Amino acid sequence: MKNAVSIKLIQCGKTFANGAQALQPIELEIHPGETVVLLGPSGCGKTTTLRLIAGLEFPDAGGQVLFGDEDVTALPIEKRGVGMVFQNYALFPNMTVGENIAYGLKIRKMPAAQRLEKIEALLEMVHMQGFSQRRIDQLSGGQKQRVALARALAVEPKVLLLDEPLTALDAKLRETLRADLNQLLRKLGITAIYVTHDQSEAMALGDRVVVMERGKIAQIGSPQDIYYRPANHFVADFIGTMNRITGTACDGLLHFAGGQLPCDTASVGKRTTLMFRPEDVEVVAGEMDDANMQGDILSTFFLGDRTRLLIDVGTEQAVVVETGRRASWQIGERISLRVPEHALLHFHDEAPA
Ligand code: ATP
């Protein structure tokens, strides 16, 4: 989009009237045309951050919100040029689809003929051609959300804000809409901020993902960054499944009951946590030359395209691995595991969460 705008939050904190500090002062820069996903557990401050950008909340003293070079900190939502999509659709139930979409255009006094043309173009964009005359209560949840999206885009906002828009939909529909939304956001090139607590949604949609924890930003990065290079224990645990083995390293190895893993030189003599992803582990039944560890299968989960195994290797937490090669693992079976060195993440001197 030619006019895509950047967004900057400078020292934006939020304390509510009851004294609750929902957000500690954060710094966040969103590039023009980028889709940024705010991800984190319930109560971490995602929605508050989105509402500060929208102009539905205002930051504590000292905080600033910029759209491009414009300081919008004190502007209310209707003066910011933002479009919003909510989890609960927030459509006008007594109006048709077309009337809902045209609502903002009517307020802006767009002539009727032009409005009709625009409604048709927007309905086509969200794959809802021919639905203009339908009543809102005659739509499915997914269709309602498509209409809500069309309505938000109708006024050609500078910024599109989406607050858990797919959360109320069932899994299959969520996946379809996620794919459509992904294509649409890329095609439009609009600056978009998307709130979710669903990490796979965040990975699928975000150019960058902001992981939040208790009113703070834990990490900002591409989906690959936060998956493969989590900045701390919290991010590592929150994104996907991560194995962790903690101990004190000596001789370049971290020893535990079921085996050992190689450590970097910075780990020597230090309490070290090694982390690795289930899909990075090589799994062999019985004995394996140069295995890193051996253990017994505690449980098996057949997932169709792969099987997930929980393995007791004598550490506090069982190790999770994934394998696609065989679906008939037996509980109690002895198994060998190898973890390539490049798949190991080292964390030093951080108390396990
Ligand atoms: P969820 O996924 O559950 O919506 P969230 O990450 O979006 O969570 P926020 O809604 O931003 O979290 O809330 C952050 C914190 O601020 C929470 O502890 C919440 O209870 C508190 N909070 C939010 N809005 C208000 C308010 N209007 N008054 C007081 N406290 C609030």
Side-chain angles (χ1 to χ4, degrees):
M1 198 162 99
K2 258 184 272 145
N3 302 321
V5 73
S6 65
I7 296 173
K8 226 182 205 176
L9 300 185
I10 304 167
Q11 287 297 301
C12 270
K14 182 68 195 176
T15 309
F16 285 103
N18 64 358
Q21 193 182 22
L23 205 60
Q24 299 190 21
I26 59 165
E27 301 278 333
L28 179 61
E29 189 167 357
I30 297 164
H31 309 306
E34 187 179 32
T35 298
V36 163
V37 178
L38 306 178
L39 171 70
S42 182
C44 70
K46 309 176 291 286
T47 299
T48 301
T49 306
L50 193 80
R51 290 170 62 86
L52 286 174
I53 296 170
L56 289 167
E57 300 286 357
F58 299 94
D60 296 341
Q64 253 187 320
V65 182
L66 303 184
F67 281 12
D69 294 331
E70 190 190 358
D71 187 336
V72 299
T73 314
L75 293 186
I77 183 163
E78 62 274 14
K79 301 235 168 85
R80 288 199 188 184
V82 298
M84 274 196 94
V85 181
F86 300 93
Q87 181 180 336
N88 59 2
Y89 321 121
L91 295 165
F92 303 114
N94 51 341
M95 292 186 195
T96 64
V97 166
E99 285 164 351
N100 263 279
I101 295 174
Y103 184 76
L105 304 175
K106 219 168 167 179
I107 290 176
R108 281 171 177 72
K109 305 209 168 14
M110 182 185 272
Q114 218 175 319
R115 276 204 311 265
L116 284 178
E117 218 172 279
K118 182 109 192 180
I119 292 168
E120 286 312 313
L122 284 159
L123 283 174
E124 192 181 330
M125 187 190 279
V126 296
H127 306 309
M128 291 275 292
Q129 295 97 314
F131 279 77
S132 183
Q133 299 307 318
R134 272 287 181 98
R135 283 213 326 261
I136 296 300
D137 60 5
Q138 296 169 336
L139 299 179
S140 71
Q143 290 169 334
K144 282 183 193 161
Q145 207 50 300
R146 288 176 190 274
V147 174
L149 184 61
R151 186 181 61 176
L153 291 170
V155 293
E156 298 184 11
K158 285 188 260 185
V159 175
L160 183 64
L161 304 173
L162 306 111
D163 194 357
E164 307 244 12
L166 307 184
T167 305
L169 307 175
D170 69 60
K172 195 81 195 158
L173 192 58
R174 216 157 52 214
E175 221 170 283
T176 314
L177 245 77
R178 180 203 289 178
D180 285 355
L181 199 53
N182 194 355
Q183 276 180 14
L184 188 63
L185 290 173
R186 262 76 209 160
K187 193 169 102 191
L188 292 174
I190 191 171
T191 308
I193 298 131
Y194 187 105
V195 165
T196 181
H197 60 265
D198 178 332
Q199 49 109 3
S200 55
E201 206 163 285
M203 309 286 261
L205 283 170
D207 293 312
R208 283 190 304 154
V209 178
V210 177
V211 186
M212 299 186 69
E213 179 195 14
R214 281 181 280 160
K216 285 193 294 198
I217 293 178
Q219 187 171 0
I220 304 177
S222 67
Q224 289 80 0
D225 277 340
I226 61 163
Y227 190 81
Y228 291 115
R229 291 173 287 280
N232 52 40
H233 280 258
F234 173 77
V235 178
D237 279 339
F238 192 70
I239 309 294
T241 304
M242 189 65 103
N243 289 299
R244 61 161 76 187
I245 295 181
T246 300
T248 304
C250 61
D251 312 332
L253 292 171
L254 192 144
H255 294 274
F256 47 94
Q260 74 286 316
L261 285 166
C263 282
D264 59 13
T265 49
S267 304
V268 178
K270 279 190 201 151
R271 195 159 172 77
T272 298
T273 299
L274 291 176
M275 298 196 190
F276 51 95
R277 297 283 181 195
E279 67 271 23
D280 286 332
V281 181
E282 194 185 331
V283 183
V284 168
E287 305 288 321
M288 176 189 353
D289 286 343
D290 60 13
N292 293 111
M293 58 190 103
Q294 288 193 326
D296 301 321
I297 298 179
L298 291 173
S299 35
T300 69
F301 305 91
F302 178 59
L303 303 173
D305 55 344
R306 64 214 140 90
T307 301
R308 184 169 266 229
L309 308 174
L310 211 57
I311 299 161
D312 177 12
V313 295
T315 50
E316 203 177 306
Q317 228 176 279
V319 166
V320 180
V321 302
E322 270 179 8
T323 168
R325 286 178 224 141
R326 196 181 120 187
S328 57
W329 301 93
Q330 300 302 319
I331 290 175
E333 187 177 341
R334 192 82 180 148
I335 197 170
S336 297
L337 310 179
R338 181 161 49 210
V339 189
E341 249 181 284
H342 67 80
L344 289 170
L345 294 167
H346 295 72
F347 288 86
H348 304 126
D349 300 324
E350 194 184 352

